[in-house]
Amino acid sequence: GDSVTQMEGPVTLSEEAFLTINCTYTATGYPSLFWYVQYPGEGLQLLLKATKADDKGSNKGFEATYRKETTSFHLEKGSVQVSDSAVYFCALSDRNTGNQFYFGTGTSLTVIP
Amino acid sequence: KAGVTQTPRYLIKTRGQQVTLSCSPISGHRSVSWYQQTPGQGLQFLFEYFSETQRNKGNFPGRFSGRQFSNSRSEMNVSTLELGDSALYLCASSLEWLTDTQYFGPGTRLTVL
């Protein structure tokens, strides 16, 4: 079945460092891919999404490119801020292979000044 | 447009009691899903409602139930509470399908003593 695997955390970075959070997926069809962010004490917020191969999603300085050849959707940001400290979830949905929305286990990011 | 709202935000119950959580989706969204989030199990899908009918269901016991009203508002009920039911319960809404972009509410933090 479909699934999402993302890198284990926690990740600790200094302010202005480069961020990469790896996400790979398994899907038999052509899924849509998402990154969600959860700040402490809050629900999940959609950060960005991509619906087909080679699409790049971007928002608030974060980017992720849908790579079908490597089945990946890695999250990147060139210069992180303390306010980016949160838990990041990779997710996929594929209506063609089942009406499901799959989430990764989440990666906790802490940015220190 | 107002986001997904959930009430109450916090609840404390004792074992054996029952609880009802409420969710109001984004206006125009017809699909409402519920998730349980715990540190050990991560995000787990409970069920999805569309047009007042349960359309998808996760692997939770029958103590967990829900319903949806004609205005798309949804409630979730947990009967005979157990200590392990302590969690953050998240509601998400989407336009038509579970596989459409999910928009989350802030969650209800349930503590079972």
Side-chain angles (χ1 to χ4, degrees), chain A residues 64-81:
Chain A
T65 301
Y66 188 162
R67 302 282 189 203
K68 189 165 174 60
E69 64 275 15
T70 54
T71 62
S72 65
F73 193 55
H74 305 322
L75 182 68
E76 297 181 336
K77 186 176 185 183
S79 176
V80 294
Q81 306 300 313

Side-chain angles (χ1 to χ4, degrees), chain A residues 36 38 49 93 95 99, chain B residues 37 56 99-102 104:
Chain A
Y36 283 85
Q38 185 176 34
K49 68 177 184 180
S93 72
R95 190 179 307 175
N99 196 20
Chain B
Q37 186 178 28
N56 285 284
T99 48
D100 293 332
T101 303
Q102 300 266 296
F104 285 81

Side-chain angles (χ1 to χ4, degrees), chain A residues 14-45:
Chain A
S14 297
E15 207 165 22
E16 299 183 4
F18 185 85
L19 168 71
T20 299
I21 300 178
N22 290 336
C23 172
T24 57
Y25 68 90
T26 301
T28 54
Y30 301 92
S32 296
L33 301 172
F34 307 81
W35 276 101
Y36 283 85
V37 59
Q38 185 176 34
Y39 298 102
E42 298 183 13
L44 277 69
Q45 298 176 25

Side-chain angles (χ1 to χ4, degrees), chain B residues 57-70:
Chain B
K57 188 178 188 303
N59 295 322
F60 277 80
R63 298 186 298 108
F64 293 81
S65 63
R67 60 177 176 168
Q68 186 181 34
F69 302 93
S70 59

Side-chain angles (χ1 to χ4, degrees), chain B residues 54-85:
Chain B
Q54 187 180 91
R55 186 164 61 177
N56 285 284
K57 188 178 188 303
N59 295 322
F60 277 80
R63 298 186 298 108
F64 293 81
S65 63
R67 60 177 176 168
Q68 186 181 34
F69 302 93
S70 59
N71 60 359
S72 294
R73 190 176 70 83
S74 177
E75 289 182 346
M76 191 192 96
N77 185 273
V78 187
S79 62
T80 320
L81 283 166
E82 301 177 359
L83 295 179
D85 297 333

Side-chain angles (χ1 to χ4, degrees), chain A residues 74-95:
Chain A
H74 305 322
L75 182 68
E76 297 181 336
K77 186 176 185 183
S79 176
V80 294
Q81 306 300 313
V82 172
S83 57
D84 294 327
S85 298
V87 180
Y88 292 82
F89 292 88
C90 186
L92 78 79
S93 72
D94 189 344
R95 190 179 307 175

